[in-house]
């Protein structure tokens, strides 16, 4: 079976993931590689409706309802977009994916990780787990100003204590999963250089791996 690559970007709210995703996409495009960006929650018609619900400011959503809505959006995205693009051999860049659920609903809301893990294994399947994840790490205290400027949504309105739990969750995940590469947030250019460095490493490690069909050029 043809196989593309799933690359996800993760981090707490306001860490600058979305800008990096855009830069990384432009970089891969400039190398003439087949690439697509998807974001979560959302990315499909149904997913975008779920996204509106999830991010509405004044809704009192219970933690399990929240979990299942994120999962519902994800399943739809996998079925509609990820499967097809992966089979076509594309590099799929995801602005948030499975690890957001571990970090926010697992570590943040204290839903047992084993439960979240099980649902992902059963409903999504390991084949669609990320091949590499970039975690942009920053202390929530340093992002308060950015979030104020952005105009907060429901989750971003959570206390700094919640964001600390989420960050700590991400740091725990790094210890358990070698595919997650941690990147300390610096200025945009330096953070992006680090993304490229880790990407090159990943490519070199997998150059002879038949799993990926994409012929990726290394640094010239
Ligand atoms: P969004 O504005 O897309 O995030 P970003 O800060 O990356 O621009 O909002 C997504 C929000 O949803 C964000 O606060 C994290 C949260 N989230 C979860 O709690 N669980 C999940 O599984 C996902 C995908 C996102």
């Amino acid at each position: 079976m043809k196989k593309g690559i799933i690359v996800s970007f993760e981090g707490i709210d306001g860490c600058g993931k979305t800008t990096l995703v855009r830069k990384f996409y432009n970089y891969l495009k400039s190398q003439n590689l087949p690439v697509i960006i998807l974001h979560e929650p959302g990315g499909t018609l149904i997913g975008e409706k779920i996204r509106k619900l999830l991010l509405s400011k004044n809704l009192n959503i219970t933690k399990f309802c929240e979990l299942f809505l994120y999962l519902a959006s994800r399943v739809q995205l996998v079925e509609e977009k990820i499967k097809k693009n992966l089979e076509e051999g594309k590099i799929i860049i995801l602005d948030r994916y499975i690890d957001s659920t571990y970090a926010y609903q697992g570590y943040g809301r204290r839903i047992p990780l084993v439960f979240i893990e099980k649902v992902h294994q059963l409903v999504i399947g390991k084949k669609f787990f990320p091949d590499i994840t970039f975690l942009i790490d920053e202390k929530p205290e340093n992002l308060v100003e950015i979030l104020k400027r952005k105009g907060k949504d429901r989750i971003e309105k959570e206390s700094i204590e919640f964001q600390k739990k989420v960050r700590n969750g991400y740091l725990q995940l790094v210890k358990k999963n070698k595919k997650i590469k941690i990147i300390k947030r610096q200025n945009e250019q330096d953070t992006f250089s680090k993304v490229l460095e880790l990407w090159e490493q990943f490519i070199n490690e997998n150059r002879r791996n038949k799993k990926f069909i994409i012929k990726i050029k290394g640094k010239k």
Side-chain angles (χ1 to χ4, degrees):
M1 189 197 123
K2 284 185 178 180
K3 171 85 164 73
I5 300 175
I6 302 180
V7 187
S8 60
F9 280 73
E10 295 284 353
I12 58 170
D13 297 292
C15 71
K17 260 177 317 77
T18 306
T19 313
L20 290 169
V21 162
R22 184 47 59 188
K23 279 178 99 95
F24 188 53
Y25 171 83
N26 289 338
Y27 168 80
L28 295 177
K29 268 264 166 222
S30 74
Q31 303 231 323
N32 290 322
L33 289 164
V35 54
I36 174 177
I37 300 183
L38 297 171
H39 68 262
E40 277 210 4
T44 62
L45 215 61
I46 291 178
E48 289 303 322
K49 288 183 194 281
I50 298 175
R51 178 186 176 86
K52 273 215 179 94
L53 207 60
L54 275 166
L55 302 183
S56 338
K57 288 192 179 143
N58 299 314
L59 279 185
N60 183 16
I61 303 180
T62 67
K63 66 179 186 181
F64 278 104
C65 177
E66 181 185 85
L67 170 70
F68 287 118
L69 285 173
Y70 279 115
L71 292 173
S73 167
R74 180 163 309 138
V75 172
Q76 193 67 25
L77 188 71
V78 170
E79 293 294 335
E80 261 189 46
K81 301 269 171 86
I82 296 184
K83 277 189 180 169
K84 176 173 156 287
N85 282 287
L86 207 59
E87 272 164 31
E88 288 171 3
K90 297 221 178 94
I91 301 174
I92 304 172
I93 309 176
L94 276 148
D95 189 343
R96 292 198 185 283
Y97 195 38
I98 297 173
D99 293 301
S100 282
T101 310
Y102 284 118
Y104 283 80
Q105 281 65 52
Y107 289 94
R109 305 266 191 242
R110 300 277 187 248
I111 293 177
L113 294 178
V114 279
F115 179 71
I116 301 176
E117 223 162 57
K118 203 79 210 160
V119 184
H120 277 104
Q121 279 164 6
L122 291 173
V123 181
I124 307 285
K126 279 201 175 141
K127 218 161 85 183
F128 303 104
F129 288 5
D131 296 297
I132 178 166
T133 299
F134 297 115
L135 167 63
I136 314 305
D137 181 51
E138 179 60 285
K139 287 185 186 150
E141 301 90 295
N142 296 343
L143 298 174
V144 174
E145 286 308 310
I146 293 176
L147 286 181
K148 264 191 209 154
R149 262 181 274 136
K150 240 178 92 179
K152 299 174 187 173
D153 62 37
R154 191 179 60 84
I155 302 236
E156 288 165 348
K157 273 167 75 184
E158 292 281 352
S159 66
I160 202 141
E161 284 317 306
F162 179 76
Q163 297 288 346
K164 279 185 186 168
K165 279 192 216 163
V166 174
R167 178 191 180 218
N168 175 56
Y170 274 126
L171 296 177
Q172 298 302 316
L173 292 173
V174 174
K175 291 185 196 159
K176 292 201 259 181
N177 183 352
K178 279 198 308 222
K179 291 184 176 168
I180 307 178
K181 313 290 174 195
I182 183 164
I183 298 176
K184 175 91 203 77
R185 177 176 168 271
Q186 310 163 63
N187 64 60
E188 205 177 292
Q189 198 43 49
D190 290 348
T191 314
F192 184 59
S193 299
K194 194 72 197 161
V195 170
L196 290 190
E197 189 188 316
L198 290 163
W199 171 249
E200 296 288 341
Q201 244 176 48
F202 167 81
I203 293 309
N204 287 328
E205 280 163 19
N206 288 284
R207 212 171 272 286
R208 273 176 288 278
N209 185 343
K210 297 265 184 315
K211 197 169 130 200
F212 304 117
I213 60 152
I214 298 167
K215 298 276 171 283
I216 298 162
K217 297 173 235 159
K219 229 183 210 152
K220 282 176 207 150

